[in-house]
Amino acid sequence: MGKKKPRPRRSFTPEFKAEIVELCQRGDRSVGQVAKDFDLTETAVRQWVRQAEVNNGQRDGLTSSEREELAALRRENRRLRQDVDVLKRATAFFVRETR
């Protein structure tokens, strides 16, 4: 049997995701059926529904804005650590040069 080709990564607008979540929450169709109807992975749709519940306060977890803030802080932290590392190396270099 042949291997399945990996599905190319797609991105969706927040409006599209909200529409899909609304379809799932109405209860007319299962998450699996909505995913199949729109050619989406069931895992992605379940994650969108879960995140919508967190954002609406129906479930514990980080809201979308908190996730964005956390990601930005982690990026900044990584950049600052790199800056400190460069400064440490420069200091060590200049200490050796002045001796």
Side-chain angles (χ1 to χ4, degrees):
M1 289 205 187
K3 287 186 176 181
K4 273 188 170 181
K5 274 188 170 180
R7 176 181 275 203
R9 189 162 186 93
R10 300 180 294 174
S11 61
F12 303 97
T13 64
E15 294 81 16
F16 177 77
K17 290 178 182 181
E19 210 173 296
I20 296 298
V21 167
E22 186 181 326
L23 286 172
C24 293
Q25 290 177 337
R26 263 195 233 149
D28 303 345
R29 296 182 272 181
S30 68
V31 171
Q33 188 60 49
V34 171
K36 188 176 179 182
D37 291 348
F38 287 88
D39 190 31
L40 301 166
T41 63
E42 194 171 331
T43 304
V45 174
R46 286 190 191 286
Q47 180 59 38
W48 297 347
V49 169
R50 199 172 304 119
Q51 188 62 51
E53 290 171 351
V54 169
N55 291 345
N56 294 332
Q58 300 167 331
R59 182 187 283 250
D60 288 338
L62 294 177
T63 65
S64 295
S65 61
E66 290 171 334
R67 283 183 185 281
E68 289 171 15
E69 181 182 9
L70 182 59
L73 290 171
R74 285 179 174 165
R75 279 192 302 274
E76 182 181 8
N77 195 1
R78 189 177 327 111
R79 185 186 56 76
L80 291 172
R81 286 177 191 270
Q82 290 170 346
D83 290 351
V84 167
D85 190 44
V86 167
L87 291 172
K88 283 181 182 177
R89 288 190 213 158
T91 302
F93 172 79
F94 287 117
V95 165
R96 282 193 308 270
E97 289 295 314
T98 57
R99 286 187 181 169

